[in-house]
Amino acid sequence: MKQQWRGIVKVRLKWVKNRSLDHVIDKETDLKAACLLKDAVNRSSTGFLTAQSVADWQKLLGLTVPVLRFLRRYPTLFQEFPHPRWASLPCFRLTDTALFLHSQELSLHQTHQNDAVQTLSKLLMMSNSRALPLHSLHALKWDLGLPDTFHKTLVPLYPHQFQFVRSPNGVVSIQLSRWPEELAVSALQKSNEGGTHYREFKRGQSALAFPMRFPRGYGAQKKVRTWMEEFQKLPYVSPYTDSTKIDPNSDLMEKRVVGVLHEILSLTLHKKTKRNYLRGLREEFNLPHKFTRIFTRYPGIFYLSLKCKTTTVTLKEGYQSGKLVDPHPLARHRDKFYHVMQTGLLYRGDGSLKPQENNLLAENDKLRSEDSEVEMSDELCETELKVEDDSS
């Protein structure tokens, strides 16, 4: 495989805004921040957070408004009360509804524990050393659907699968204890198990076509179609195979990079993550220095959003009309959490609650009723507040 495939003429495409995906990112930024704060309250020894303690968390939470204003915006989750000793200091604890949602979350983590194990295993399988730094995994745990304290509650339960290792510079990583061959199948390979998109060529290797959803007008351009047809004809390199023998400057390596990024995003619950989280794993996944150019070079596969003062990359095939095509049970649970947030959203004008949706007990009853009919998933947990967020 160490050879230079004939060069593909690449076309420079203009970035096109996708309003439906931008809306998803905008919505889930608030959802993620609310869950971070929920977990912080739950971890607090006092059972509440003070306005002073969260004053500097705005950037960390990815918010565009002060944290105090954000907490007051969602009274169905956070109950405000004066500090026991300093009456002028606002404090926030979880409402009964938030506590109920949290208990659901813990139960669902237990129910879908095998999903988390497989996701973590597949991510480690793609890395060069079959290991990843713990701090990098913490940054991704919200996206991957891992429990909040997965390194304490999940990893020790599977010593035959994972082990902790410490590098000479003191960095703690999680490493695979064994290679689970049954998991070495990518999402693209699974979606083509019937052979629909396989093509055989003289090279004796098979090519898999990536699903393409171009911005309006691009897919019909002859030069774009020619470029993509040549790209799709290249042999597909599984992200779980050794790529060290592939010419780093070849078109084949570029398709391999697209495949790795496609697989990482396929492992996430919402088929998206922040660009900087992937940058931190560049060397581990044998990605080129400027690999993020791939996101704008292949707008039929990826969408790069600049919403919420950060850069988020989304796998376009994961969404249809602004909704997940195949939502994980945990993603449905997060939708429920977001619904509870919105039912208690304060009017910005006078600070009052929406009159028809200000009864927390009624909301609790509704949640319990829904839970008996629909199987929910686990997570709503996020990276700990000590993990530095990105801004780009």
Side-chain angles (χ1 to χ4, degrees), residues 329-345:
L330 176 53
R332 294 197 297 268
H333 185 58
R334 288 176 174 176
D335 284 340
K336 176 186 287 189
F337 194 94
Y338 185 74
H339 170 72
V340 172
M341 290 172 61
Q342 294 303 298
T343 57
L345 183 65

PDB file of all heavy atoms in Angstrom, residues 329-345:
ATOM      1  N   PRO A 329     -30.768   5.627  22.686  1.00  0.00           N
ATOM      2  CA  PRO A 329     -31.696   5.893  23.796  1.00  0.00           C
ATOM      3  C   PRO A 329     -31.251   7.039  24.697  1.00  0.00           C
ATOM      4  O   PRO A 329     -32.080   7.782  25.218  1.00  0.00           O
ATOM      5  CB  PRO A 329     -31.713   4.559  24.559  1.00  0.00           C
ATOM      6  CG  PRO A 329     -31.451   3.543  23.508  1.00  0.00           C
ATOM      7  CD  PRO A 329     -30.473   4.187  22.554  1.00  0.00           C
ATOM      8  N   LEU A 330     -29.946   7.193  24.875  1.00  0.00           N
ATOM      9  CA  LEU A 330     -29.459   8.295  25.691  1.00  0.00           C
ATOM     10  C   LEU A 330     -29.746   9.640  25.034  1.00  0.00           C
ATOM     11  O   LEU A 330     -30.059  10.623  25.710  1.00  0.00           O
ATOM     12  CB  LEU A 330     -27.961   8.153  25.931  1.00  0.00           C
ATOM     13  CG  LEU A 330     -27.286   9.290  26.707  1.00  0.00           C
ATOM     14  CD1 LEU A 330     -27.993   9.557  28.018  1.00  0.00           C
ATOM     15  CD2 LEU A 330     -25.821   8.961  26.918  1.00  0.00           C
ATOM     16  N   ALA A 331     -29.660   9.687  23.719  1.00  0.00           N
ATOM     17  CA  ALA A 331     -29.985  10.931  23.009  1.00  0.00           C
ATOM     18  C   ALA A 331     -31.454  11.281  23.207  1.00  0.00           C
ATOM     19  O   ALA A 331     -31.813  12.453  23.334  1.00  0.00           O
ATOM     20  CB  ALA A 331     -29.667  10.777  21.525  1.00  0.00           C
ATOM     21  N   ARG A 332     -32.320  10.284  23.252  1.00  0.00           N
ATOM     22  CA  ARG A 332     -33.743  10.546  23.509  1.00  0.00           C
ATOM     23  C   ARG A 332     -33.939  11.046  24.947  1.00  0.00           C
ATOM     24  O   ARG A 332     -34.802  11.892  25.206  1.00  0.00           O
ATOM     25  CB  ARG A 332     -34.565   9.275  23.267  1.00  0.00           C
ATOM     26  CG  ARG A 332     -34.573   8.823  21.814  1.00  0.00           C
ATOM     27  CD  ARG A 332     -35.701   7.851  21.533  1.00  0.00           C
ATOM     28  NE  ARG A 332     -35.574   6.613  22.291  1.00  0.00           N
ATOM     29  CZ  ARG A 332     -34.953   5.536  21.834  1.00  0.00           C
ATOM     30  NH1 ARG A 332     -34.396   5.547  20.631  1.00  0.00           N
ATOM     31  NH2 ARG A 332     -34.883   4.435  22.556  1.00  0.00           N
ATOM     32  N   HIS A 333     -33.150  10.513  25.865  1.00  0.00           N
ATOM     33  CA  HIS A 333     -33.242  10.983  27.246  1.00  0.00           C
ATOM     34  C   HIS A 333     -32.786  12.442  27.345  1.00  0.00           C
ATOM     35  O   HIS A 333     -33.350  13.229  28.108  1.00  0.00           O
ATOM     36  CB  HIS A 333     -32.384  10.100  28.146  1.00  0.00           C
ATOM     37  CG  HIS A 333     -32.500  10.421  29.594  1.00  0.00           C
ATOM     38  ND1 HIS A 333     -33.695  10.384  30.264  1.00  0.00           N
ATOM     39  CD2 HIS A 333     -31.556  10.794  30.512  1.00  0.00           C
ATOM     40  CE1 HIS A 333     -33.496  10.716  31.542  1.00  0.00           C
ATOM     41  NE2 HIS A 333     -32.215  10.970  31.713  1.00  0.00           N
ATOM     42  N   ARG A 334     -31.780  12.795  26.588  1.00  0.00           N
ATOM     43  CA  ARG A 334     -31.329  14.178  26.574  1.00  0.00           C
ATOM     44  C   ARG A 334     -32.394  15.101  25.992  1.00  0.00           C
ATOM     45  O   ARG A 334     -32.530  16.251  26.423  1.00  0.00           O
ATOM     46  CB  ARG A 334     -30.030  14.296  25.773  1.00  0.00           C
ATOM     47  CG  ARG A 334     -28.829  13.699  26.485  1.00  0.00           C
ATOM     48  CD  ARG A 334     -27.592  13.761  25.607  1.00  0.00           C
ATOM     49  NE  ARG A 334     -26.410  13.321  26.351  1.00  0.00           N
ATOM     50  CZ  ARG A 334     -25.203  13.200  25.837  1.00  0.00           C
ATOM     51  NH1 ARG A 334     -25.006  13.492  24.562  1.00  0.00           N
ATOM     52  NH2 ARG A 334     -24.196  12.798  26.574  1.00  0.00           N
ATOM     53  N   ASP A 335     -33.132  14.599  25.031  1.00  0.00           N
ATOM     54  CA  ASP A 335     -34.246  15.386  24.498  1.00  0.00           C
ATOM     55  C   ASP A 335     -35.279  15.658  25.591  1.00  0.00           C
ATOM     56  O   ASP A 335     -35.854  16.749  25.659  1.00  0.00           O
ATOM     57  CB  ASP A 335     -34.913  14.651  23.329  1.00  0.00           C
ATOM     58  CG  ASP A 335     -34.089  14.724  22.053  1.00  0.00           C
ATOM     59  OD1 ASP A 335     -33.233  15.621  21.957  1.00  0.00           O
ATOM     60  OD2 ASP A 335     -34.310  13.897  21.159  1.00  0.00           O
ATOM     61  N   LYS A 336     -35.522  14.668  26.414  1.00  0.00           N
ATOM     62  CA  LYS A 336     -36.452  14.850  27.532  1.00  0.00           C
ATOM     63  C   LYS A 336     -35.907  15.907  28.503  1.00  0.00           C
ATOM     64  O   LYS A 336     -36.658  16.771  28.985  1.00  0.00           O
ATOM     65  CB  LYS A 336     -36.655  13.521  28.274  1.00  0.00           C
ATOM     66  CG  LYS A 336     -37.534  13.642  29.501  1.00  0.00           C
ATOM     67  CD  LYS A 336     -37.581  12.337  30.294  1.00  0.00           C
ATOM     68  CE  LYS A 336     -38.401  11.290  29.581  1.00  0.00           C
ATOM     69  NZ  LYS A 336     -38.623  10.102  30.444  1.00  0.00           N
ATOM     70  N   PHE A 337     -34.624  15.826  28.777  1.00  0.00           N
ATOM     71  CA  PHE A 337     -33.995  16.798  29.667  1.00  0.00           C
ATOM     72  C   PHE A 337     -34.149  18.212  29.105  1.00  0.00           C
ATOM     73  O   PHE A 337     -34.465  19.165  29.831  1.00  0.00           O
ATOM     74  CB  PHE A 337     -32.511  16.441  29.827  1.00  0.00           C
ATOM     75  CG  PHE A 337     -31.818  17.150  30.949  1.00  0.00           C
ATOM     76  CD1 PHE A 337     -31.716  16.569  32.204  1.00  0.00           C
ATOM     77  CD2 PHE A 337     -31.246  18.399  30.753  1.00  0.00           C
ATOM     78  CE1 PHE A 337     -31.063  17.218  33.249  1.00  0.00           C
ATOM     79  CE2 PHE A 337     -30.595  19.060  31.782  1.00  0.00           C
ATOM     80  CZ  PHE A 337     -30.508  18.462  33.033  1.00  0.00           C
ATOM     81  N   TYR A 338     -33.928  18.339  27.806  1.00  0.00           N
ATOM     82  CA  TYR A 338     -34.045  19.651  27.172  1.00  0.00           C
ATOM     83  C   TYR A 338     -35.487  20.147  27.221  1.00  0.00           C
ATOM     84  O   TYR A 338     -35.742  21.342  27.408  1.00  0.00           O
ATOM     85  CB  TYR A 338     -33.570  19.575  25.725  1.00  0.00           C
ATOM     86  CG  TYR A 338     -33.545  20.913  25.024  1.00  0.00           C
ATOM     87  CD1 TYR A 338     -32.563  21.851  25.319  1.00  0.00           C
ATOM     88  CD2 TYR A 338     -34.515  21.247  24.075  1.00  0.00           C
ATOM     89  CE1 TYR A 338     -32.528  23.085  24.684  1.00  0.00           C
ATOM     90  CE2 TYR A 338     -34.492  22.474  23.439  1.00  0.00           C
ATOM     91  CZ  TYR A 338     -33.497  23.386  23.747  1.00  0.00           C
ATOM     92  OH  TYR A 338     -33.479  24.615  23.127  1.00  0.00           O
ATOM     93  N   HIS A 339     -36.435  19.239  27.069  1.00  0.00           N
ATOM     94  CA  HIS A 339     -37.846  19.615  27.165  1.00  0.00           C
ATOM     95  C   HIS A 339     -38.166  20.196  28.543  1.00  0.00           C
ATOM     96  O   HIS A 339     -38.874  21.201  28.661  1.00  0.00           O
ATOM     97  CB  HIS A 339     -38.735  18.398  26.897  1.00  0.00           C
ATOM     98  CG  HIS A 339     -40.182  18.626  27.208  1.00  0.00           C
ATOM     99  ND1 HIS A 339     -40.998  19.426  26.433  1.00  0.00           N
ATOM    100  CD2 HIS A 339     -40.967  18.172  28.226  1.00  0.00           C
ATOM    101  CE1 HIS A 339     -42.209  19.457  26.952  1.00  0.00           C
ATOM    102  NE2 HIS A 339     -42.218  18.697  28.039  1.00  0.00           N
ATOM    103  N   VAL A 340     -37.625  19.568  29.583  1.00  0.00           N
ATOM    104  CA  VAL A 340     -37.844  20.073  30.936  1.00  0.00           C
ATOM    105  C   VAL A 340     -37.215  21.456  31.099  1.00  0.00           C
ATOM    106  O   VAL A 340     -37.786  22.345  31.740  1.00  0.00           O
ATOM    107  CB  VAL A 340     -37.272  19.089  31.979  1.00  0.00           C
ATOM    108  CG1 VAL A 340     -37.311  19.687  33.376  1.00  0.00           C
ATOM    109  CG2 VAL A 340     -38.046  17.778  31.948  1.00  0.00           C
ATOM    110  N   MET A 341     -36.052  21.656  30.496  1.00  0.00           N
ATOM    111  CA  MET A 341     -35.423  22.973  30.543  1.00  0.00           C
ATOM    112  C   MET A 341     -36.347  24.032  29.942  1.00  0.00           C
ATOM    113  O   MET A 341     -36.561  25.101  30.517  1.00  0.00           O
ATOM    114  CB  MET A 341     -34.107  22.969  29.762  1.00  0.00           C
ATOM    115  CG  MET A 341     -32.994  22.178  30.394  1.00  0.00           C
ATOM    116  SD  MET A 341     -31.550  22.035  29.285  1.00  0.00           S
ATOM    117  CE  MET A 341     -31.109  23.756  29.072  1.00  0.00           C
ATOM    118  N   GLN A 342     -36.924  23.712  28.792  1.00  0.00           N
ATOM    119  CA  GLN A 342     -37.728  24.687  28.071  1.00  0.00           C
ATOM    120  C   GLN A 342     -39.067  24.966  28.737  1.00  0.00           C
ATOM    121  O   GLN A 342     -39.589  26.078  28.662  1.00  0.00           O
ATOM    122  CB  GLN A 342     -37.966  24.213  26.638  1.00  0.00           C
ATOM    123  CG  GLN A 342     -36.704  24.143  25.801  1.00  0.00           C
ATOM    124  CD  GLN A 342     -35.983  25.480  25.745  1.00  0.00           C
ATOM    125  OE1 GLN A 342     -36.519  26.467  25.255  1.00  0.00           O
ATOM    126  NE2 GLN A 342     -34.757  25.514  26.254  1.00  0.00           N
ATOM    127  N   THR A 343     -39.636  23.976  29.404  1.00  0.00           N
ATOM    128  CA  THR A 343     -40.933  24.199  30.046  1.00  0.00           C
ATOM    129  C   THR A 343     -40.833  25.195  31.189  1.00  0.00           C
ATOM    130  O   THR A 343     -41.820  25.827  31.557  1.00  0.00           O
ATOM    131  CB  THR A 343     -41.515  22.880  30.598  1.00  0.00           C
ATOM    132  OG1 THR A 343     -40.585  22.283  31.505  1.00  0.00           O
ATOM    133  CG2 THR A 343     -41.846  21.911  29.479  1.00  0.00           C
ATOM    134  N   GLY A 344     -39.643  25.354  31.735  1.00  0.00           N
ATOM    135  CA  GLY A 344     -39.488  26.310  32.826  1.00  0.00           C
ATOM    136  C   GLY A 344     -38.713  27.545  32.420  1.00  0.00           C
ATOM    137  O   GLY A 344     -38.264  28.287  33.276  1.00  0.00           O
ATOM    138  N   LEU A 345     -38.548  27.739  31.120  1.00  0.00           N
ATOM    139  CA  LEU A 345     -37.777  28.881  30.644  1.00  0.00           C
ATOM    140  C   LEU A 345     -38.414  30.193  31.078  1.00  0.00           C
ATOM    141  O   LEU A 345     -39.594  30.436  30.870  1.00  0.00           O
ATOM    142  CB  LEU A 345     -37.687  28.842  29.118  1.00  0.00           C
ATOM    143  CG  LEU A 345     -36.850  29.923  28.447  1.00  0.00           C
ATOM    144  CD1 LEU A 345     -35.386  29.776  28.843  1.00  0.00           C
ATOM    145  CD2 LEU A 345     -36.989  29.839  26.939  1.00  0.00           C
TER     146      LEU A 345
END
